[in-house]
Amino acid sequence: MNPTGARGLTPEEAQARLARFGPNRLFTPAPVRFWAIAAEEIREPMILLLLVVGVFYSLWGGLGDALTIFVVILLLVAAEVGNEFRAKRAIVALERIAAPKAQVRRGGQAVAVDTQTVVPGDVLLLLPGTRLAADANLISTVNLGIDEAALSGESLAAEKVAGDAVYAGTAVATGEGEAEATATGGATRLGQMAAQLGAVKPPKTPLQLAMKALAGKLVWVAVFFSVAIPLIGIARGGDFREMILTGLSLAFATIPEELPIIVTMVLGLGSFRLSRQKFLVKRLRAAETLGDATVILTDKTGTLTESRMRVVAVYPREQERAVLAAALGTVSPEVPDALEQAVLERARALGAAAPQGDILGLRHPGDGRRSKAVLWRHQDGLRLHLTGAPEEIFARCREVPPVLREQLESEAGQGHRCVAAATHALDAREAGRPLDELEQDLELVGLISFADPPRADVRETLAQVAGAGIRTLMVSGDYPATAAAIAREVGIAADRVLTGEELDRLDDTALAQAVREVSVYARATPQHKYRLVVALQRNGEVVVVTGDGVNDALALKAADVGVAMGIKGTDVAKEAAQAVLADDNYATLARGVFEGRHFFDNLRKGVNYYLAVKVGLIAIFLLPVLAGLPLPFLPIQIILLELFMDLAASAGFVAEPAEADIASRQPRSAAAALIDTSAVRIILFKGGLLFAAVMAAYGWASWRELPPVAVQGCAFAAWMVGHVALAFISRSDRHWIVRHGLFANPVMNLWAVAAIGFLLLSIYLPPLREALRFAPVAPADLIVSATLALLLVAPAGLRKAFVR
């Protein structure tokens, strides 16, 4: 490998090497192909059962009926495969959007690139929290420690120096450095270890598993009635062949093969919609849990505030350039954070110069420290530069003027963040001593005050979230007065603020009580954040937590939904989280929670409707068989009903817009089942109404002494109109459909038009009417049947008044 130099590769060189070495990924994901999903779908047990039903039906029914049933199976499978194809494509797209970035130097500039585009020869910039994107050789280091647990299992960070090898998958624990990539993708040490594993499918979420288990149980219910109804009919003297075909048709129409697919569609497509709003769901489990959130544990800087740090004051005012020069000694030259960038901009405006020389030592904030230390070797000797939390630095200074303490309180009370800058001249013989031992007897240079105003929409969003029964707790590393001032400005109660030191003095029981009463936490570390998450969960809360640092990984993993910051978040935090907030904005986080409620609403509505029409269909055949009456539908007609039932549940409800009160209702219990006792009652009620609608039309046509095929035509019309009306009523659990938006769901509208159009064609288009064994039905009888269906399904909508 030829050395690339400190400037790194040019963009053209990087592109050429990418074509030569290929993308930097361990596995080449299998493309999402329509035909592959179709092959997988056809092998599903429930689809195979449908095919078996079709084969048996072919043996007993006519050639035309056999062709019809297989055409319907083909259409059903095509619809299901198309829906699953859309959902899986959306999930794959999400994985690409949420893919991590790597900091590299190209053409002399530090840039962030997709990890997959890192190539051998790239100069990697290593900062705390960076996940190494490739195997590499270190070019330069400053106190660099690498966490190699991913490869070796060793929990302690390994110290590294220039010339050492580092490996893909490991993470920077401390210090900084640069490294030249030597191997990428499958050629890395991690890639070779993983070569035999192959791509692993993501695990099913609890809801997906529960839905698959429910579908498995309902199969037995469907099979039971598909066997029992024909047996009862035969026992009562019904035609043997017709009863067998009816049983096969009922099995075809009632087997719940759609249920598992509905979950994947709702979560997958919903998560992709969220990604367009800058909320990237990495794992479907997060989409499933989001809507149940009762507490949001959020950072302040960049999430509640604009993350547009600017220096508003420097004290002492007459020594501003000296204070800024001292602070420049700890600024990262390659990838400065928001505070360091603000210092750089102010220093450039005043012409303050950064120190010149070599960095001998570096300590980042962490492990309980809220300051950054850098040891420089200048031409005139050694000098230690320290910036960070004023109270921490004050404690290490030989003298602190009272006026600076007063300025600190004044600035903090205005919501400004303050940083102290101190230096210490050292003897050359002290170069080898640990930084902790050198950070004593400092000379305080001054204070820098930063303003980071709250986001314009955050107060309104916080009020909306509170109205939805969700508490917001602000956790900040800031000075208590600063945290309290910002909290009050955005509408978070800050009558009491707990600091990290106070949290340390609380045992678990006292902390569980404190989190019920206190909403603002200052001078808190990631360890404190983890304790808060655990305490809230002990109280039965469903916790969404934001984090950005290496040490936030623990809290992110412990949370019910961990959300990493997309802008200021480290690779380690993003890896631990289940979702990424691309714009670090609290309003986006709140939208994610409400969208989670939307997911669950649509899933519940679709499943309840799907099961209600299945219940209605079974009842429609059970009663006539028990009463010895002619069947309302012929077997071939039952098969056609399945096509429209499944399309409504699998596509129509997935596209349903959120209800108006989605952001004002209280959170549901996370322990509540999707199909609980209340849902069962609603399913039976709606199924009963659909049954009543069809039987009313059936009775009307029989009373009119119409021919049996015309009676079946009236019953079929009542079913088609009734189940379309029931679908529209089921679009909202609380509001009249006119208020919810009669035409707000284009997919449902298209399905309804297709269903009613098919009804009219099947009755009045001779070739289709003959194929489906209908007789001409007078328009008046058809209108009466449709009216009866609408009237008898209407109570499903009227019950909403009592629910409210």
Side-chain angles (χ1 to χ4, degrees), residues 237-533:
D239 181 76
F240 179 81
R241 180 170 174 167
E242 184 183 9
M243 286 296 105
I244 294 297
L245 291 177
T246 298
L248 291 172
S249 302
L250 274 175
F252 185 89
T254 55
I255 290 171
E257 79 285 352
E258 281 286 332
L259 282 183
I261 296 173
I262 294 172
V263 181
T264 301
M265 281 194 65
V266 169
L267 296 181
L269 296 177
S271 297
F272 188 66
R273 285 198 301 269
L274 261 182
S275 73
R276 295 179 176 177
Q277 302 178 49
K278 300 186 181 300
F279 191 97
L280 311 180
V281 176
K282 293 173 55 186
R283 302 180 183 95
L284 289 185
R285 183 185 298 268
E288 185 177 304
T289 311
L290 264 175
D292 302 333
T294 59
V295 173
I296 298 176
L297 199 66
T298 180
D299 294 333
K300 174 185 74 69
T301 303
T303 308
L304 298 178
T305 61
E306 294 180 354
S307 194
R308 288 192 298 109
M309 288 287 185
R310 59 187 179 88
V311 176
V312 292
V314 178
Y315 303 100
R317 296 184 185 276
E318 64 277 7
Q319 298 177 23
E320 183 172 356
R321 290 186 60 178
V323 176
L324 292 171
L328 286 173
T330 61
V331 170
S332 173
E334 296 288 358
V335 190
D337 62 25
L339 283 174
E340 293 174 346
Q341 185 62 42
V343 170
L344 276 172
E345 292 172 1
R346 185 63 170 257
R348 286 170 186 158
L350 295 177
Q356 299 297 315
D358 299 319
I359 296 178
L360 301 183
L362 170 68
R363 177 187 58 73
H364 284 279
D367 294 330
R369 298 294 303 277
R370 295 188 294 274
S371 61
K372 182 177 180 180
V374 179
L375 179 61
W376 285 86
R377 176 187 284 132
H378 303 297
Q379 290 182 347
D380 55 350
L382 300 182
R383 182 169 289 273
L384 179 68
H385 290 250
L386 207 70
T387 57
E391 65 271 32
E392 181 175 305
I393 291 180
F394 287 175
R396 296 172 182 268
C397 290
R398 65 175 73 103
E399 183 182 358
V400 180
V403 66
L404 285 186
R405 293 187 186 275
E406 293 172 5
Q407 291 293 348
L408 171 62
E409 293 297 331
S410 173
E411 293 293 323
Q414 299 175 59
H416 295 164
R417 182 171 182 177
C418 292
V419 167
T423 64
H424 186 25
L426 301 168
D427 189 277
R429 292 171 297 182
E430 297 182 282
R433 292 176 59 193
L435 286 181
D436 282 347
E437 295 181 10
L438 301 178
E439 296 174 28
Q440 304 294 332
D441 198 31
L442 302 175
E443 177 187 346
L444 181 61
V445 182
L447 285 176
I448 304 174
S449 176
F450 300 85
D452 184 18
R455 293 180 185 267
D457 56 351
V458 75
R459 187 180 182 91
E460 179 182 349
T461 303
L462 279 162
Q464 185 183 41
V465 166
I470 303 170
R471 286 183 64 206
T472 299
L473 274 59
M474 188 181 88
V475 183
S476 173
D478 275 345
Y479 196 65
T482 302
I486 293 294
R488 292 190 189 97
E489 194 168 348
V490 299
I492 297 177
D495 299 333
R496 183 182 173 193
V497 178
L498 279 179
T499 65
E501 290 183 359
E502 291 170 320
L503 288 175
D504 289 334
R505 293 195 290 268
L506 297 177
D507 61 20
D508 291 344
T509 303
L511 182 58
Q513 179 59 37
V515 294
R516 292 189 175 99
E517 303 165 355
V518 181
S519 299
V520 181
Y521 301 86
R523 289 304 190 214
T525 65
Q527 288 73 22
H528 294 134
K529 185 184 291 187
Y530 170 72
R531 283 196 69 202
L532 290 171
V533 171

Side-chain angles (χ1 to χ4, degrees), residues 110-121:
V111 295
V113 300
D114 287 338
T115 300
Q116 291 194 20
T117 65
V118 171
V119 294

Side-chain angles (χ1 to χ4, degrees), residues 603-619:
L603 184 60
R604 187 189 66 253
K605 292 172 188 176
V607 170
N608 286 1
Y609 170 78
Y610 182 78
L611 296 179
V613 292
K614 302 285 187 184
V615 167
L617 186 61
I618 290 172

